[in-house]
Amino acid sequence: SRVALGGGGGDSPCKGGKLVRAGQTVGCIVRDLLNRYKVSNPSATVIPEGAFFNVYKDFVSTSSPSMQASIKQVIGASDTRVLWASIVFMTSADAESLSNARGHFIHDNLKELTDGLRARAPEGMRTIFFTDLERPGGGFTWTAVEDALIQNLFTGFSICFPVVFCVLVVASGNVLLALFATVSIAMIVVGVLGAVQVYHGWDLGIAESISGVIVIGFSVDYTVHLGHMYKEAWDQPSRESKTRFALTHMGGTVVGGGLTTALSGGVLFLCTLLFFTKMGTLLVWTIFLSMAHALLFFMACCAVFGPTGNFGSVHYAIGVCKRKLGFGKKD
C-alpha cells in the first residue's frame, strides 16, 4: 500500500519518497468488503460479481449509524448495484508549501500508476481516475490553473519583448541602443525569476507569473532614460564621452528613482498575506537588478559598442529612404 514515487527520495516532495504519509493507512472499502466476504468464504481471493452487491448491503446493514455515514463517503450504490468506490489516503507531501513543479511530480506519478491500473483492470473498472480533494484551492485543478498562468507568462513575453523593442526604437531613435536595452531587460527578467528560485526557493506560481510581465515595465524605465541621454550627447566625439555624459546627467536620477521605488516595495514586507510579501520581494529584486543592468551592463555596452554618428539612427535611415524615393532634397 506504500507507493514509492519515481525519482527517489531526494527529488520527491513526499517525505521519504513515499506517497502515503508515515503512520497512515490506505482506506480501501473494497478490501474491507473482501475481508467480510472471507468470513464465510475463507479461501476466496475476490468477491464474485453476482455476490458483490449483497456483501455490500450486509456490510452496511451491520455497521453502526456513524460507520454507515463514513461508508457512504467512500462508496456509492443504487438500489440494485454498486456504482463507485474510492481508495482514500493522506499524502506525505506538505500541501501548504507544494509548488506547481512539485505538485506536477505527484500528479505525474499518480497518473502513471492509474494508467497502469486502468490497462490491467476489467472492463467495468476502466473508468478509474485520481484526484486530490484535500489540497487548498481545489487540488490538481489548481495546478492546471497555475499551468495556464505560466503559459500566459510566456505568451506575455512573446508579446511584450517585441513591443518593448519597438517602443525603445521610437524613444531612443536608434536601433542599436534599443537592442542593448532589450537584451538588458531580458537579463533582468531572467535574473529576477532566477533569484527568487535560488534564494527563496520559489518556483513559477501565481505571484511569479503575474510579476514576470510587470518586471518588464519596471525595468524598461532606467535603460530608456540612459539610452535617451546617450543619444542626446550628439556633440560628444566618442562612445566613452557619450557614456560619461549619460551617466553624469542621468545616473543620479536613475539611482534616486530606483531607491524610492525599492522603498515602496519594502513597505509590502509589513503585510501579513504571503502574496503581498512575495510581490514586495519581487519588486525589490527587480529594482536592484534593473539599476545594476542599466548602470553597468547597458552603459558598458554603450561605452564599447555604442553607436556614433548616424550608425543605427532611425531618423537618418528614414531620411535616406525619403531621398531615395524622391520625397526629400538630395545632398
Side-chain angles (χ1 to χ4, degrees), residues 145-202:
V145 173
E146 290 182 331
D147 287 344
L149 290 172
I150 294 171
Q151 180 61 43
N152 288 339
L153 169 65
F154 289 102
T155 302
F157 286 162
S158 66
I159 297 172
C160 285
F161 279 109
V163 171
V164 164
F165 178 76
C166 294
V167 170
L168 289 169
V169 168
V170 174
S172 65
N174 193 282
V175 175
L176 193 57
L177 288 177
L179 179 62
F180 292 161
T182 303
V183 172
S184 298
I185 294 167
M187 292 175 64
I188 293 167
V189 173
V190 172
V192 169
L193 296 180
V196 297
Q197 205 287 326
V198 172
Y199 295 107
H200 304 282
W202 300 344

Side-chain angles (χ1 to χ4, degrees), residues 3 12 67 74 102 129 139 148 155 157-158 164 167 240 247-248 252 292:
V3 180
S12 172
M67 179 61 72
V74 294
R102 290 180 173 268
F129 68 96
T155 302
F157 286 162
S158 66
V164 164
V167 170
E240 292 82 358
L247 287 172
T248 301

Side-chain angles (χ1 to χ4, degrees), residues 103-153:
H104 265 293
F105 187 94
I106 298 176
H107 177 278
D108 295 343
N109 276 273
L110 281 173
K111 185 176 185 303
E112 182 180 353
L113 174 64
T114 52
D115 286 347
L117 292 173
R118 189 182 301 113
R120 299 190 303 270
E123 184 175 354
M125 295 185 65
R126 289 179 183 171
T127 56
I128 182 174
F129 68 96
F130 66 93
T131 185
D132 179 9
L133 298 178
E134 298 299 325
R135 185 181 174 192
F140 292 120
T141 301
W142 188 248
T143 302
V145 173
E146 290 182 331
D147 287 344
L149 290 172
I150 294 171
Q151 180 61 43
N152 288 339
L153 169 65

Side-chain angles (χ1 to χ4, degrees), residues 209-227:
S209 299
I210 294 174
S211 66
V213 178
I214 297 176
V215 165
I216 299 175
F218 277 113
S219 56
V220 71
D221 191 37
Y222 308 113
T223 53
V224 73
H225 284 315
L226 290 170

Side-chain angles (χ1 to χ4, degrees), residues 284-308:
V284 171
W285 271 113
T286 299
I287 299 306
F288 171 74
L289 292 176
S290 295
M291 287 194 299
H293 281 81
L295 295 172
L296 300 176
F297 175 78
F298 178 70
M299 284 286 91
C301 287
C302 290
V304 178
F305 306 108
T308 56

